[in-house]
Amino acid sequence: DMETIGVAYFDAPVTGEVQRGSEGTLVTMVGGDSDRFTEYAWIPSAFSRSVVRGGASGNGALLKTLNNMIANVTAMASMEGIILARAAGIDEDVLLEVFNSGVARTHFSSVRYPNHIATGAFDHGFPLGLVNKDLGIAAESADMLHADPIVFRAAHKLWNAALDDFGPKGDTTRVIDVVARQTVGRPWSELATHVESR
């Protein structure tokens, strides 16, 4: 019993990508004993702009998993919109202006796509193997909750297809080719118009 020997356990994953890590502005999600949380919150506060307690032990990790799940599912929706716009011949700058000016704005449409795909670089630096590991954890979490998130399951299949096509070290941005072939039956290279990095 950890309580008896004076040990406190917290799961405390972070989110914010490499840039926020180097800036010390991550968000830390903590699961664990509420009575001991305030005593130790100073530790993640040293490298986080926000430290949130998600409840019981394990909930910090669950929040991290769900955060990754949502990010990767919304990325798929953004990709489909961008692919359909490009298939219709809509100019790159126009679609980005529209999508990023309102409710369609996502991290993918505002950061990953313009800086790592539209440039033709495919250099975000996050490997498909890690994306699929994260999504596998999300699938296990859904199973443990006896849930069947159908939008997530569909997106997970496409991420798995990208892993098959580009391997575990392939850049996460390569998934757009799988989504393009699935959505309009053509590879991304036929739709892309490369623009300067923003």
Side-chain angles (χ1 to χ4, degrees):
D1 182 354
M2 288 194 259
E3 182 91 23
T4 305
I5 60 174
V7 173
Y9 171 81
F10 298 96
D11 56 292
V14 298
T15 189
E17 297 191 330
V18 174
Q19 180 181 348
R20 287 192 180 172
S22 62
E23 295 168 352
T25 59
L26 296 166
V27 174
T28 301
M29 300 145 281
V30 181
D33 185 347
S34 61
D35 294 336
R36 306 294 295 275
F37 173 68
T38 53
E39 185 180 348
Y40 295 103
W42 66 271
I43 297 170
S45 293
F47 51 81
S48 304
R49 70 173 165 81
S50 178
V51 179
V52 294
R53 184 176 170 273
S57 181
N59 282 359
L62 179 60
L63 283 168
K64 168 71 174 182
T65 295
L66 296 176
N67 187 64
N68 289 343
M69 181 188 87
I70 292 167
N72 289 306
V73 170
T74 59
M76 288 285 176
S78 291
M79 284 179 225
E80 286 185 343
I82 290 166
I83 287 162
L84 291 169
R86 292 300 302 137
I90 296 173
D91 182 74
E92 193 98 58
D93 291 328
V94 171
L95 73 89
L96 287 173
E97 175 68 23
V98 171
F99 294 167
N100 290 329
S101 295
V103 296
R105 180 184 176 90
T106 65
H107 181 74
F108 179 85
S109 69
S110 61
V111 177
R112 287 192 185 182
Y113 179 75
N115 294 313
H116 303 287
I117 296 176
T119 60
F122 297 95
D123 63 350
H124 179 258
F126 198 79
L128 285 163
L130 288 180
V131 172
N132 279 275
K133 175 195 66 80
D134 289 345
L135 294 177
I137 293 169
E140 290 171 5
S141 298
D143 291 342
M144 286 183 356
L145 293 167
H146 307 291
D148 188 20
I150 59 171
V151 174
F152 163 69
R153 302 272 192 215
H156 193 191
K157 286 180 185 174
L158 292 172
W159 283 104
N160 277 328
L163 182 66
D164 290 343
D165 285 357
F166 299 103
K169 293 184 180 179
D171 196 89
T172 185
T173 53
R174 293 291 181 182
V175 73
I176 199 165
D177 189 60
V178 172
V179 179
R181 285 183 274 125
Q182 180 72 32
T183 305
V184 294
R186 292 154 55 196
W188 171 249
S189 59
E190 292 184 13
L191 302 171
T193 300
H194 298 179
V195 294
E196 293 299 316
S197 181
R198 289 165 171 72

